[in-house]
Structure formats: C-alpha cells, structure tokens
Amino acid sequence: MISTIFRKCNGYSSIILDDSLLKIGAFRLFILLLLLQIMADSELLQVVTGNSKFANKFYNILAEEEKGKNVFFSPISAHIVLSMAYQGAAGTTADAFSSSLHLGNENIAATGYHHVMSSLNSIKDVKLHIANKIYVMQGFPLKEKFLKSACELFLSETESLNFAESENSARKINGWVEGKTNSKIKDLIDAGCLDALTRLVLVNAIYFKGNWAQQFKKEHTMKEKFYISEVESVDCHMMHLTRRFRYRADDHLQAQILEMKYTNENISMVIILPFKRTGIEELEKKLVDVDFATLSEGMRSMEVEVSLPKFKVETTMDLQSILTRMGLGVIFDQMKANFSEISNSDEQLYVSKAIQKAFIEVNEEGAEAAAATGVIMAFKCARPMNLPKVSFIVDHPFFVLLQSECDPAPISLFCGRIMEPFL
C-alpha cells in the first residue's frame, strides 16, 4: 500500500521545508515502487519457474502412461486452474499444492499469474487468449477472499448454475469453452460428472493461432515417409523450407534442437529431434532432468534445411492419475481434502474430477492450438554467423514445445510427443 499525506503549511520558510520533505518523500516513493517491482518480478519468476518444473514432471508421467502414442497437453492451462484451486486450500492440502505446483504460497501463485495472464493476453500479431471461469452451485456461499483472488488476480468470470440440472449445466460450461477456443475444444465436461452434490467447476481455456515468421510454400509439400520404427513407416505430408533458424545439436540429449518463430517473435515452437529414428524414449529419459525454459539456450542462427510433417493431434485426459503421481492425490480424497478457504459452508469439498482436452494443428501457414482444463469440486458425503547449412529432417518421432517469452524466462504453453502425424 502507498499512503499519500497532505499537510497544510503557512509562510515562506514552511514552504521551503516542505519542498525538502517532498524531495525526501519522492525518493522514498521511488524506493517503494522499486521494491514493489522487484517483488512482482520475483513472483513472476516463481510462477514461470514453477510452470516449467510442473510441465516437465507432468510430461514425463504422461509420456510413460501413454507409451507409443501421441501425447499433447497445455502445462499452463493445468497449472493455472490448479493454482486457482490452491487459493481455497488449507493445511496439508495447501502444502501439497505448494510442492506439486512448485510455488511458494497461494499469494505468489495468484499475483504471479495475474502478471502472466495480463502479459500473454496482450500479445500482438498472433491470437493468444487465456481465460478462467468459476461455475458455482446456486446458493453456495464463496468466501470473499477466494472470490476476490479468482476474479481480480486470475481474471476469472463467475456464474451460478444448478448442477442438479446436469445436462443444462454441462451445455453452458461446454459452450463457454468452445467459444474461448474457437470451437476447437468441445464437450469438455460430461453431464455425468455433474449432479446435486457438485459445488464448483473451475475451468481454464487457452487458444493460440499464429503464422510462421517464415512460412512454408504449399507447392513444396509432398508425400514422404515418416518412420514409426527403425524400418516401418507411414506416409505424411512433408513441408520443406530452407531459411535461417536458431539451431543447435545437443550431444547430451543426442538430438537436434530447432526453434521456429511466429510473426510475434516472442512466441516460438521448439522441436527436439532425436538423432536416431528410435531415440524418442531415450530422449524422454534425459528430458526428466532438463528445465524446459532452457531448451532454446545456446542456439545459433544458421541456415537450416527443414523438412517438417503437417500434423494434427487431439487429446482427452483424466488428470487424476497424473496429479496423484505428482503429489496431489489428497485433493481427490473425500476424507483428507481441505478446501476450507473456499466457502463459509460447513460442507467439506474435494475434487471429484480433473479433465483436460488439448488440440494442435501445424501446417504451412503456422500452428493452431487450444486446450481446456476443468476441475470439478463436490462435497463429501544470438547474432547471425556464416555457418554451413544443416539438415533438420523430421521423419521420425519428436518432441514439440510451444512457448512464449515471459521475462525473465519462457513459459510453456503447450508440449507433447508426436509419434505419428495425422492430417
């Protein structure tokens, strides 16, 4: 808080004295504002760092559970909606959120994400929208602090529904999600997940559509082989482009890394391609210890001959198993979950369902991606250099990360593993 004090003064000497005090006051105000900025930067850094660690662990568990399949999700969508739920947690449940989300406390989560969402929602030259919404059972009283945090810091909308009318409630929730994701995410919430015991549904939706800074020409796209094993292949539509990109070969990961910018150069797609056709599992084991925010470090601008398949992936995930393995099993436990900071009601809340749907399509023009995560709560019953041209031929399984610069480090918007391109 900044307090401003006005004093009435008389006489010439008094005016001189107050002018001196004014200078001192201005200096103190400057220091105070500087400290507030440092605090804000610290909270933003913790959220960005927490998002990166969360994304890494989430991806590795998901990749293990979905062996041999395409996987794709939005780390930020899951991280935001869980951070919103964190605002209403207490006791050991709050501790579980803190350690699993890699965030110091709920205030850091709220303030940090306020800066992140405000920043990302104002990005130009691409379409990037992140939105939160809380659906609450009619007549269910929310605590003022929880509601204020959700609305003012997480920029969440709120709406009352009668969840006993499950079909109507699901239709309204899904309609909002569909609208926020340009109709890419449909039917997030099944009506069967809602009933008279449902008290809250927390939803985050994220949508991205951007053109490549350097687009592929459609006439250069042709059918080629994509190897799903050492010798077995499927046909794909392979795009071709030779331009300067940020690139490096990583001996530790045994992979090539390419960064492709969008028209807003703060947004980029990072592709990690194993040296070997069958190297994706080995790559994933090494990625366990890698901070996703550092993947594009140490890259150099050089001429790269890129061959990249067009692809489209849609996924639906029940998050309970993954979140439990990440240390958040308590939120699903009817006996142990503590969300006492959400409502003044005596009803004890727990998370009955956590779902995410995600979508990505990559073509010659650029990429379109969307995701939505729902948490349902019920009560208990570098500079260019003259370097030789390199080839980056994506004809076997690879890892992909869509990220945005969010000073002081990139934040993970979407990521996944493409085992087989479908389009």
Side-chain angles (χ1 to χ4, degrees):
M1 182 190 299
I2 299 174
S3 299
T4 304
I5 302 173
F6 293 90
R7 177 185 298 165
K8 182 179 180 179
C9 56
N10 294 305
Y12 181 75
S13 61
S14 296
I15 293 175
I16 295 174
L17 181 60
D18 274 8
D19 182 58
S20 176
L21 289 172
L22 182 60
K23 290 178 181 178
I24 296 172
F27 177 72
R28 288 176 175 172
L29 178 59
F30 170 77
I31 294 299
L32 180 56
L33 291 173
L34 182 61
L35 289 172
L36 289 173
Q37 184 61 51
I38 292 171
M39 289 172 61
D41 289 345
S42 174
E43 289 162 343
L44 178 58
L45 177 60
Q46 289 188 58
V47 164
V48 171
T49 302
N51 167 270
S52 180
K53 292 178 179 178
F54 176 87
N56 187 308
K57 191 167 184 179
F58 192 108
Y59 172 78
N60 281 284
I61 294 172
L62 177 60
E64 180 187 320
E65 292 189 351
E66 300 291 324
K67 277 190 180 296
K69 300 178 183 178
N70 289 337
V71 296
F72 187 72
F73 74 104
S74 172
I76 195 172
S77 179
H79 205 243
I80 286 179
V81 81
L82 291 168
S83 294
M84 255 205 314
Y86 184 13
Q87 305 305 302
T92 56
T93 303
D95 294 338
F97 274 114
S98 177
S99 60
S100 299
L101 299 180
H102 303 281
L103 297 171
N105 57 54
E106 73 278 8
N107 295 324
I108 289 173
T111 307
Y113 263 122
H114 178 74
H115 295 306
V116 169
M117 290 187 61
S118 298
S119 174
L120 294 181
N121 281 334
S122 62
I123 283 181
K124 297 178 181 180
D125 300 325
V126 297
K127 293 180 180 178
L128 177 59
H129 304 297
I130 304 176
N132 296 315
K133 189 157 186 177
I134 296 177
Y135 293 92
V136 58
M137 182 68 157
Q138 290 177 355
F140 186 69
L142 298 179
K143 282 189 175 181
E144 184 178 350
K145 181 182 178 183
F146 174 78
L147 193 57
K148 185 176 181 179
S149 176
C151 295
E152 294 184 6
L153 296 177
F154 285 92
L155 310 179
S156 178
E157 303 172 29
T158 60
E159 183 176 343
S160 295
L161 293 176
N162 180 4
F163 294 121
E165 300 175 356
S166 58
E167 294 285 348
N168 182 57
S169 296
R171 185 167 58 253
K172 287 189 174 183
I173 296 171
N174 292 333
W176 181 84
V177 170
E178 192 171 336
K180 293 296 182 181
T181 61
N182 198 35
S183 300
K184 296 303 176 184
I185 304 298
K186 299 180 180 181
D187 302 322
L188 175 68
I189 304 293
D190 187 276
C193 297
L194 308 175
D195 56 31
L197 300 181
T198 304
R199 291 297 175 262
L200 285 175
V201 177
L202 311 182
V203 183
N204 170 271
I206 177 171
Y207 173 77
F208 168 79
K209 185 172 184 178
N211 290 333
W212 300 119
Q214 302 182 89
Q215 294 189 1
F216 296 84
K217 291 185 178 181
K218 291 185 178 181
E219 57 267 30
H220 294 166
T221 299
M222 56 192 72
K223 277 194 175 183
E224 295 181 21
K225 294 182 182 299
F226 185 93
Y227 290 88
I228 56 176
S229 70
E230 188 62 50
V231 294
E232 187 181 3
S233 66
V234 295
D235 287 338
C236 72
H237 292 90
M238 190 73 78
M239 307 179 293
H240 298 274
L241 178 67
T242 301
R243 288 289 189 278
R244 297 194 75 89
F245 293 101
R246 295 183 72 230
Y247 167 91
R248 70 181 169 92
D250 191 302
D251 291 332
H252 171 66
L253 294 178
Q254 285 291 287
Q256 295 175 284
I257 306 177
L258 182 76
E259 183 177 28
M260 301 178 66
K261 299 282 189 179
Y262 292 92
T263 48
N264 184 315
E265 293 199 349
N266 287 322
I267 311 287
S268 64
M269 179 177 287
V270 176
I271 299 171
I272 307 181
L273 178 69
F275 291 153
K276 298 188 298 184
R277 286 178 181 172
T278 57
I280 190 70
E281 286 191 29
E282 184 181 338
L283 170 64
E284 288 172 338
K285 291 175 183 176
K286 294 176 179 178
L287 283 176
V288 171
D289 300 317
V290 174
D291 183 348
F292 284 179
T294 67
L295 285 174
S296 56
E297 290 181 358
M299 303 180 91
R300 294 184 295 180
S301 176
M302 58 196 306
E303 191 172 7
V304 184
E305 183 181 14
V306 178
S307 298
L308 178 68
K310 296 169 65 172
F311 63 92
K312 180 167 66 174
V313 175
E314 297 178 65
T315 61
T316 301
M317 292 172 286
D318 186 323
L319 305 185
Q320 183 168 349
S321 171
I322 297 172
L323 295 179
T324 297
R325 290 180 62 181
M326 293 182 72
L328 272 174
V330 66
I331 69 175
F332 302 99
D333 192 317
Q334 296 187 44
M335 303 301 294
K336 297 179 180 179
N338 184 346
F339 287 100
S340 56
E341 297 304 309
I342 288 181
S343 172
N344 292 312
S345 169
D346 292 333
E347 298 175 347
Q348 293 184 327
L349 302 175
Y350 73 102
V351 174
S352 59
K353 199 78 172 175
I355 315 136
Q356 183 180 99
K357 285 194 171 189
F359 165 93
I360 187 171
E361 181 173 352
V362 173
N363 56 31
E364 291 90 352
E365 295 176 350
E368 185 173 21
T373 306
V375 169
I376 302 174
M377 290 190 179
F379 77 91
K380 304 170 188 179
C381 342
R383 185 179 295 179
M385 300 175 64
N386 293 321
L387 297 171
K389 180 173 66 177
V390 298
S391 294
F392 191 84
I393 304 174
V394 187
D395 64 354
H396 55 274
F398 59 98
F399 173 87
V400 60
L401 172 69
L402 189 62
Q403 65 181 14
S404 172
E405 288 297 329
C406 195
D407 193 29
I411 193 162
S412 303
L413 303 178
F414 300 91
C415 72
R417 173 186 67 202
I418 308 302
M419 298 295 292
E420 184 175 346
F422 296 102
L423 198 61

